[in-house]
C-alpha cells in the first residue's frame, strides 16, 4: 500500500472535495480520484459517498 494514498485520503476527508484536496496535495483532480479508487480496491470497501461535488465518509 502506498502511503501517499493514505495522505490523499486524509486530505479528501479534510476538504470533502477531490478538487480542493488535489490542489492542496499539488496533484491533479483526476490523479486524486484514481488514487482513492485504487485505495478503495485495495481495501475492498467504498470510502466515500460521492454527492455532486461533496464527499462524505462512507
Amino acid at each position: 500500500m502506498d502511503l501517499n494514498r493514505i495522505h490523499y485520503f486524509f486530505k479528501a476527508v479534510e476538504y470533502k472535495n477531490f478538487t480542493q484536496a488535489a490542489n492542496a496535495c499539488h496533484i491533479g483532480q483526476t490523479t486524486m480520484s484514481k488514487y482513492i479508487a485504487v485505495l478503495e480496491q485495495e481495501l475492498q470497501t467504498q470510502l466515500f459517498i460521492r454527492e455532486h461535488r461533496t464527499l462524505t465518509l462512507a
Side-chain angles (χ1 to χ4, degrees), residues 5-29:
R5 289 188 195 121
I6 302 296
H7 172 71
Y8 299 147
F9 167 77
F10 282 117
K11 283 296 181 183
V13 169
E14 179 182 349
Y15 286 94
K16 298 180 182 172
N17 180 289
F18 282 152
T19 302
Q20 292 175 1
N23 289 338
C25 294
H26 307 288
I27 61 173
Q29 184 273 333

Side-chain angles (χ1 to χ4, degrees), residues 12-55:
V13 169
E14 179 182 349
Y15 286 94
K16 298 180 182 172
N17 180 289
F18 282 152
T19 302
Q20 292 175 1
N23 289 338
C25 294
H26 307 288
I27 61 173
Q29 184 273 333
T30 304
T31 303
M32 172 68 79
S33 295
K34 287 179 183 178
Y35 280 156
I36 297 299
V38 169
L39 184 60
E40 288 177 325
Q41 288 175 350
E42 287 178 356
L43 298 174
Q44 298 179 354
T45 190
Q46 180 181 358
L47 297 173
F48 292 103
I49 298 169
R50 294 151 173 89
E51 298 172 346
H52 304 286
R53 296 177 190 242
T54 303
L55 301 173

